[in-house]
Amino acid sequence: MFWFDKADPRAVFMDNRELEDTLCDGRTLTVNPDIVDDFRDMPFQSGSFALVVFDPPHLVKIGEGAWMAKKYGKLGENWKSDLRHGFAECFRVLKPNGVLVFKWNEEQVPLREVLALTDEKPLFGNKRAKTHWIVFMKGE
């Protein structure tokens, strides 16, 4: 939802689903990633990217057919383990000194609970809104 140009050749868009639907406000929702795969086990070699954006689903309690679930996805009951593996994969595919931008909305799960799922420490981010953008840098 935040991309200026999803077709930018510098970016690879990965999601675990493809979807086209009409939202309750009449807009068309299209999820059409370059790669359909799982953020817990990415199909990339270690050290492949200088920049990774990790925008996992953030909702636990929501119906499968709800428009928010269609738009943002839904966390499973093993969400802590899933996000722990997701963070590990993001850092695995980053080059040394690479940057991870992590997006999280704490409508249902506080940011502090999610950041506790990685040993990596963020450099900076916004702390005053419900939607957070947190920046990490991988060590050498």
Side-chain angles (χ1 to χ4, degrees):
M1 302 309 255
F2 53 79
W3 290 95
F4 286 105
D5 179 5
K6 288 183 184 178
D8 189 313
R10 298 171 295 177
V12 176
F13 175 39
M14 187 179 93
D15 202 308
N16 68 347
R17 66 207 169 117
E18 289 182 298
L19 172 72
E20 186 158 327
D21 202 353
T22 302
L23 299 176
C24 59
D25 63 4
R27 289 180 298 155
T28 300
L29 170 66
T30 303
V31 179
N32 186 22
D34 300 315
I35 297 171
V36 177
D37 218 315
D38 188 337
F39 68 69
R40 298 168 299 180
D41 186 24
M42 293 187 214
F44 307 110
Q45 291 184 358
S46 297
S48 295
F49 299 98
L51 172 67
V52 171
V53 177
F54 186 27
D55 181 17
H58 60 274
L59 300 169
V60 179
K61 300 174 228 156
I62 192 161
E64 295 294 332
W67 72 271
M68 291 280 288
K70 291 177 184 176
K71 193 171 180 180
Y72 298 112
K74 179 182 177 184
L75 291 169
E77 60 184 58
N78 296 321
W79 66 267
K80 286 184 179 182
S81 174
D82 292 343
L83 292 179
R84 187 175 289 111
H85 284 94
F87 272 118
E89 276 296 278
C90 287
F91 285 105
R92 181 186 68 76
V93 301
L94 271 175
K95 294 178 180 183
N97 296 315
V99 173
L100 170 64
V101 177
F102 175 65
K103 179 178 172 255
W104 185 256
N105 180 288
E106 61 180 345
E107 183 67 33
Q108 294 182 0
V109 179
L111 177 65
R112 70 181 178 283
E113 287 185 32
V114 176
L115 293 180
L117 301 174
T118 180
D119 291 333
E120 302 292 335
K121 300 299 176 213
L123 289 174
F124 61 89
N126 65 321
K127 299 186 217 177
R128 297 187 182 190
K130 278 193 173 186
T131 299
H132 300 276
W133 294 85
I134 307 295
V135 178
F136 296 83
M137 180 179 264
K138 183 177 179 176
E140 293 189 42

